[in-house]
Amino acid sequence: MSTQPAAKPRINSAFKQLMSLHWVMSACYLVLFTSGTSMARLPGELFIRGPLYDFHKSVGVLTMALLTLRILTLLRVWWKKYTKRLPKFTKEWYKNFALHVSLYFFMWLVPVAGFLLTNSYKNNNVKFFGILLPDLFPQDSAMVEVGSSLHFWLAYTFLAFVILHILDKKKVVRANWRRLTNFVGTKFAKPQKVG
């Protein structure tokens, strides 16, 4: 009796696209968190503050576009997967599903709160890398504080869910970290002197 190695699961192009979007969006959220916390601490009169806000808003709009593409891709993956066979509705499946729904909810809600904040402060205040976008909310000075609080607290709640996601996928995180350090180590290693 011969034992053959278990076949690796086939990864389709939609899944690859989904994972590519995952990592691109992860990088965008890292930029958003670091730029958001940095710009909030800058003095108002500092010349770099305005361009940093514009950059932050542009990356926020980009993540909304990527989120839309990601949801459409996810629905395509789910359709292919679950029309063939329904998932096993285990406790683990429900936990994973709830965490991911929460993540998607915050990925959508945090930028919407950012739009509320910036549109309430001033009309025509959101540009996508220089292209003026229509307002989602009317200018309303009474809503600036509400938008600011919502954007702040939702962003940090989202960050808490991101940390839960990282902890939940710690094996994947470790494997990707090893790949990255090995890649960097081989690409940027100093050549050994011979003799």
Side-chain angles (χ1 to χ4, degrees):
M1 181 175 168
S2 67
T3 57
Q4 295 179 350
K8 288 187 178 180
R10 189 173 149 259
I11 297 176
N12 61 33
S13 62
F15 182 78
K16 286 180 184 177
Q17 185 181 15
L18 197 58
M19 290 315 299
S20 296
L21 283 168
H22 174 276
W23 291 111
V24 169
M25 289 181 72
S26 298
C28 287
Y29 285 116
L30 180 61
V31 167
L32 285 169
F33 279 116
T34 55
S35 66
T37 54
S38 300
M39 70 189 188
R41 292 187 174 119
L42 293 174
E45 64 278 357
L46 197 63
F47 77 95
I48 190 99
R49 194 167 192 228
L52 188 57
Y53 268 91
D54 288 339
F55 174 74
H56 181 81
K57 293 174 200 176
S58 293
V59 175
V61 171
L62 175 63
T63 59
M64 289 291 284
L66 291 171
L67 178 61
T68 303
L69 179 60
R70 186 172 173 175
I71 289 170
L72 292 173
T73 305
L74 180 63
L75 290 174
R76 192 173 84 208
V77 168
W78 276 11
W79 178 258
K80 281 184 172 184
K81 184 177 181 178
Y82 293 142
T83 53
K84 293 176 185 170
R85 180 174 36 93
L86 286 175
K88 293 179 183 172
F89 296 107
T90 63
K91 184 178 174 183
E92 186 65 28
W93 186 90
Y94 281 113
K95 184 186 87 160
N96 197 34
F97 181 78
L99 178 59
H100 282 82
V101 167
S102 299
L103 287 166
Y104 279 87
F105 177 71
F106 286 111
M107 281 188 260
W108 177 80
L109 198 55
V110 173
V112 169
F115 265 98
L116 174 64
L117 167 60
T118 197
N119 289 161
S120 298
Y121 179 71
K122 185 173 141 187
N123 285 328
N124 301 318
N125 200 17
V126 178
K127 293 178 184 171
F128 178 64
F129 297 107
I131 301 168
L132 185 64
L133 298 179
D135 292 337
L136 296 181
F137 300 96
Q139 182 177 349
D140 182 358
S141 58
M143 291 301 291
V144 172
E145 189 58 38
V146 171
S148 178
S149 291
L150 276 173
H151 192 56
F152 176 86
W153 289 110
L154 288 170
Y156 280 98
T157 305
F158 175 43
L159 181 59
F161 275 89
V162 168
I163 291 168
L164 281 175
H165 176 59
I166 290 169
L167 292 172
D168 186 52
K169 302 295 182 192
K170 61 184 168 238
K171 287 182 182 178
V172 175
V173 171
R174 277 193 219 123
N176 284 324
W177 182 255
R178 265 194 311 276
R179 279 190 208 108
L180 177 65
T181 55
N182 288 341
F183 172 78
V184 170
T186 56
K187 287 290 182 186
F188 301 105
K190 292 181 181 178
Q192 297 289 329
K193 290 184 180 179
V194 180

